[in-house]
Amino acid sequence: MLFALSWKNIWRNPLRSAVVIASIALGLFCGIFATAFMNGMGRQTVDNAVTRELANIQLHEPSFVEEPLPSRVIPGADSIFAALRADTSVKAVAARTGVTAMAATAKTGAGVVVKGVDPVEERRISRLPDDIITGNWFEGNRRNAAVIGGKLAEKLAAKLKTRIVLTTQNREGELTGGAFAVVGIFETSNSTFDENTVFVKRSDLSRLIGAEGDAIHEIVLLLKRNESTDSMAAMVKNAYPGLSVRTWKEIQPEVGMMESLMRQMMYLFVLVILFALSFGIVNTMLMAVLERRREFGMLMAVGMSNRRIFSMVMIETVLLSIAGGVLGMALGEGAVAATAKTGINLSSLGKGLAAIGYSPLVYPYIDAGFFGGLCLLVIVSGIVASIYPAVKALGLNPADAVRSET
Amino acid sequence: MSIIELKDVTKTFNAATVPIHAVGGVDLTIDEGEFAAIVGPSGSGKTTLLNLIGGLDEPTSGSIIIDGTDITRLKPGERTRFRLRNIGFVFQSYNLIPVLTVYENAGFIMELRGDPAAERDRRVRRLLDEVGLGDRLESRPSRLSGGQQQRVAVARALAPRPRFILADEPTANLDSHSAENLLEIMARLNREENATFLFSTHDPRVVKKARRVITIEDGAVASDKRMPEERAVHG
């Protein structure tokens, strides 16, 4: 009875209720879309970091992490590589050689990180080959080929076929160098990465640093599910206690922090919106109660209990909130669905975003669980917003209220 | 058999500042099946007295015994439940719920009491037929005249078969024809259902119909007259 009566009461003043429902819907729509937008940015940052730079887990010889010297290779890398590739939760494994070097062209030079990769293996683990904007990803059997970032190319005034000299230390700690021809230029959303990373073939780099066979400094794992990163890392640590095993969150904690911060911000953001909206709801319900003083007086007089009167006002408020909430969630989900495939192009801000590791094309994303939490928040806001008007209703004196003008 | 018994009931407002003695030492007994009117000039205390009898207000002293229960000793929640179970109210301004139909309004208190739906349906339909609104079950109050709305209010009050009905100025907002019609209906229901009615009124038409007229002046019973039986029956 209370439920049906409360629902009918909402439509007593359709315009006023519609305004409140619309304001809740609009507020939630904005909250959901902004949340999905931030969430999308956060996910893309993580996704970019994992699929282009870091993968899920990296293994190194522990001292290499402190100072990446060419001599600090992973002992028994081949067997570790084979064992990890056999794990069912692993999507792909790659072994890399890594050194720091000076890259120089005839015009200028820059400090860089050189990654020696197996191009086929690397393609399985990284989407970077898809980001080539000029040239190719080590096609053919050309020796001493290099793929560099667009920013670095700009800095070194290099283009395709430009020869760059990489100067680094060899295994003995002596200076060594080699000329590499640019065969590809990539561009990711992380301009810092683009500015200081050079990819060469693992065999070429190993030869440059004087290693017998391939020198493996780094084994990277791409997992089938990002969520299993921590558990897999724990297993690998257990299996190889002598190695440094780090997840992408440990390597770039700021990316992990950003992701968790954005998750918390999602609820905080919507909470602030609902908090602001609840004042509007309180105002509306207070008006509704005061306009119906005579009716509340009658209800009290005929024997409706305080609990039922309180519940009636509360249900009315919650229903009003839910109506706005459902509409807002439908609009928000619709807008997210509409933009999730095409993305939102922020190329006008693109350079600034890329400098801090964001893609200028943002794909809003919101997971279904968020809506569950949101429903709960909407209901709680409705309950909280109903307290004051309901207490006002209970404060009426039935004998006076039944004789009032309203 | 008495349903309502007031023993030395007083009510003083603003006791701490400027005391107003609205009701002073009233002793009164209302029997089952009575059709009684409390009359008196404005400010005489008749509405206060009705509020006290209805448990909407607490007396400053004295006791109000309804069907053997001293309602002045009940806690607020118990008094609310007592009203729901025992007292019917008809208000001057009808006070129907505008979003409910005539049928829903008339059955509202029975529903509030949790009476079985089938019984409620039978009772509400019969009463609405009795008050001449059997063909307006689905109408909203806003589509009815004042007299029709007050008839719905009477049906609502009578539906759960309360021990008695308190009607505060029930004809004050009605034209002569509607008022006469309403009084006829209430008088008939009083006879047929043995429903006890206690009015507070200024209206001479109500006074004319009443079988007992209690006059209140300055918060006290100035006179208490029982009228000949045929007066109420034949108007």
Side-chain angles (χ1 to χ4, degrees):
Chain A
M1 177 184 72
L2 284 183
F3 200 83
L5 183 58
S6 300
W7 179 249
K8 286 176 180 174
N9 279 335
I10 289 178
W11 301 108
R12 222 174 244 244
N13 189 332
L15 181 65
R16 188 170 63 200
S17 295
V19 167
V20 176
I21 289 171
S23 66
I24 297 170
L26 197 65
L28 277 184
F29 162 73
C30 293
I32 289 167
F33 194 72
T35 299
F37 185 84
M38 290 193 299
N39 203 14
M41 282 176 91
R43 272 171 61 94
Q44 275 170 252
T45 308
V46 171
D47 189 57
N48 283 340
V50 171
T51 60
R52 287 177 170 81
E53 300 169 38
L54 308 170
N56 293 99
I57 297 167
Q58 294 189 357
L59 287 77
H60 299 93
E61 199 280 320
S63 60
F64 182 86
V65 177
E66 289 157 24
E67 192 179 358
L69 297 176
S71 56
R72 293 173 176 175
V73 295
I74 295 174
D78 289 346
S79 61
I80 295 170
F81 182 91
L84 292 174
R85 195 163 57 181
D87 195 287
T88 51
S89 58
V90 173
K91 189 177 176 186
V93 188
R96 294 171 179 164
T97 305
V99 296
T100 52
M102 275 298 292
T105 57
K107 291 181 181 169
T108 183
V112 293
V113 173
V114 185
K115 289 185 182 289
V117 299
D118 175 330
V120 177
E121 216 171 63
E122 196 69 17
R123 192 179 269 284
R124 286 193 204 109
I125 209 162
S126 169
R127 293 216 300 262
L128 193 90
D130 301 334
D131 296 330
I132 301 280
I133 52 166
T134 317
N136 58 66
W137 177 254
F138 302 108
E139 281 177 9
N141 288 324
R142 179 174 183 152
R143 280 179 65 167
N144 281 10
V147 173
I148 65 173
K151 282 277 174 192
L152 183 62
E154 211 174 284
K155 199 170 176 182
L156 296 175
K159 49 190 180 185
L160 285 184
K161 296 183 183 172
T162 299
R163 293 176 79 80
I164 56 174
V165 175
L166 297 176
T167 307
T168 184
Q169 283 184 331
N170 65 15
R171 284 172 63 94
E172 281 72 40
E174 293 161 351
L175 273 182
T176 182
F180 288 75
V182 176
V183 296
I185 296 173
F186 64 85
E187 199 170 280
T188 69
S189 58
N190 186 345
S191 58
T192 311
F193 179 74
D194 292 2
E195 198 172 341
N196 65 14
T197 312
V198 174
F199 286 90
V200 298
K201 285 184 188 167
R202 193 167 69 206
S203 53
D204 294 340
L205 188 59
S206 297
R207 195 170 48 250
L208 182 69
I209 61 172
E212 292 169 11
D214 283 353
I216 306 301
H217 297 117
E218 184 173 287
I219 295 175
V220 291
L221 304 180
L222 185 68
L223 303 180
K224 288 174 182 163
R225 292 176 63 245
N226 186 31
E227 292 72 23
S228 52
T229 301
D230 291 337
S231 57
M232 183 64 186
M235 276 173 56
V236 176
K237 271 179 195 170
N238 205 31
Y240 306 105
L243 293 182
S244 153
V245 178
R246 294 181 301 162
T247 65
W248 61 268
K249 287 180 199 170
E250 290 166 318
I251 300 165
Q252 283 193 7
E254 67 280 6
V255 176
M257 270 175 61
M258 179 103 64
E259 197 208 17
S260 74
L261 189 70
M262 282 195 175
R263 277 181 189 281
Q264 290 161 19
M265 286 290 285
M266 287 193 317
Y267 286 103
L268 194 66
F269 194 62
V270 174
L271 204 64
V272 169
I273 289 175
L274 281 172
F275 180 71
L277 286 173
S278 64
F279 283 93
I281 304 171
V282 169
N283 182 47
T284 301
M285 288 310 298
L286 200 56
M287 280 169 69
V289 165
L290 295 179
E291 276 177 8
R292 281 153 51 196
R293 280 168 55 90
R294 206 162 63 193
E295 190 176 308
F296 279 107
M298 179 276 289
L299 294 172
M300 289 167 156
V302 301
M304 195 176 204
S305 66
N306 283 357
R307 184 177 58 80
R308 279 182 157 179
I309 287 173
F310 192 96
S311 301
M312 190 174 79
V313 176
M314 196 180 77
I315 292 170
E316 219 171 299
T317 318
V318 170
L319 285 177
L320 200 63
S321 308
I322 289 177
V326 167
L327 186 62
M329 282 188 255
L331 288 173
E333 172 61 18
V336 171
T339 51
K341 284 180 184 166
T342 56
I344 299 171
N345 197 340
L346 298 175
S347 47
S348 57
L349 304 167
K351 285 185 179 175
L353 286 172
I356 53 169
Y358 289 112
S359 166
L361 196 60
V362 178
Y363 296 90
Y365 171 82
I366 207 137
D367 60 66
F370 177 72
F371 286 102
L374 197 57
C375 284
L376 199 67
L377 278 179
V378 167
I379 292 169
V380 169
S381 314
I383 290 171
V384 171
S386 71
I387 292 173
Y388 184 62
V391 167
K392 271 282 180 191
L394 293 183
L396 294 172
N397 178 329
D400 295 337
V402 288
R403 297 175 148 259
S404 68
E405 290 300 312
T406 56
Chain B
M1 178 192 165
S2 72
I3 293 184
I4 304 167
E5 198 178 348
L6 276 70
K7 290 181 181 169
D8 197 20
V9 170
T10 67
K11 177 67 184 177
T12 305
F13 293 106
N14 303 329
T17 53
V18 185
I20 299 168
H21 303 289
V23 174
V26 169
D27 290 297
L28 189 66
T29 301
I30 305 289
D31 291 335
E32 188 169 9
E34 282 206 53
F35 198 72
I38 299 176
V39 299
S42 292
S44 60
K46 57 185 188 302
T47 295
T48 304
L49 193 59
L50 217 66
N51 287 341
L52 292 171
I53 295 170
L56 299 177
D57 210 347
E58 288 179 66
T60 307
S61 65
S63 55
I64 301 167
I65 297 157
I66 293 173
D67 240 4
T69 303
D70 185 349
I71 63 166
T72 61
R73 293 181 185 278
L74 297 178
K75 290 174 187 163
E78 291 171 337
R79 211 158 50 230
T80 302
R81 276 194 293 281
F82 188 85
R83 285 199 301 271
L84 181 64
R85 296 282 156 198
N86 298 283
I87 309 174
F89 289 88
V90 176
F91 307 98
Q92 181 179 336
S93 306
Y94 333 130
N95 289 0
L96 300 180
I97 299 174
V99 294
L100 299 184
T101 62
V102 164
Y103 175 84
E104 290 166 336
N105 264 293
F108 183 76
I109 296 170
M110 286 189 82
E111 198 171 353
L112 209 56
R113 286 161 45 116
D115 291 334
E119 184 194 327
R120 188 173 74 231
D121 182 64
R122 273 196 305 275
R123 177 78 174 149
V124 166
R125 284 178 191 278
R126 200 184 78 73
L127 277 170
L128 287 173
D129 275 339
E130 290 276 338
V131 300
L133 292 168
D135 57 344
R136 303 296 300 271
L137 299 185
E138 295 308 316
S139 297
R140 290 286 163 96
S142 59
R143 313 285 294 179
L144 304 180
S145 68
Q148 288 172 322
Q149 288 190 53
Q150 197 61 303
R151 282 188 265 154
V152 178
V154 169
R156 176 179 67 187
L158 267 173
R161 299 179 205 276
R163 296 296 290 139
F164 63 92
I165 289 169
L166 294 177
D168 185 15
E169 306 273 10
T171 55
N173 291 349
L174 303 182
D175 59 58
S176 296
H177 177 72
S178 301
E180 288 291 343
N181 185 240
L182 182 78
L183 286 168
E184 276 299 331
I185 288 167
M186 289 198 286
R188 193 174 71 241
L189 290 168
N190 165 251
R191 288 193 306 273
E192 290 174 0
E193 300 219 344
N194 198 31
T196 309
F197 279 86
L198 182 60
F199 301 94
S200 125
T201 187
H202 276 110
D203 191 341
R205 293 166 301 198
V206 180
V207 177
K208 204 174 142 196
K209 281 272 179 203
R211 286 202 302 253
R212 182 179 173 191
V213 178
I214 302 152
T215 307
I216 301 284
E217 280 175 17
D218 298 327
V221 177
S223 69
D224 186 351
K225 292 179 186 167
R226 290 178 190 272
M227 303 301 168
E229 188 69 15
E230 56 275 15
R231 209 173 88 120
V233 176
H234 304 295

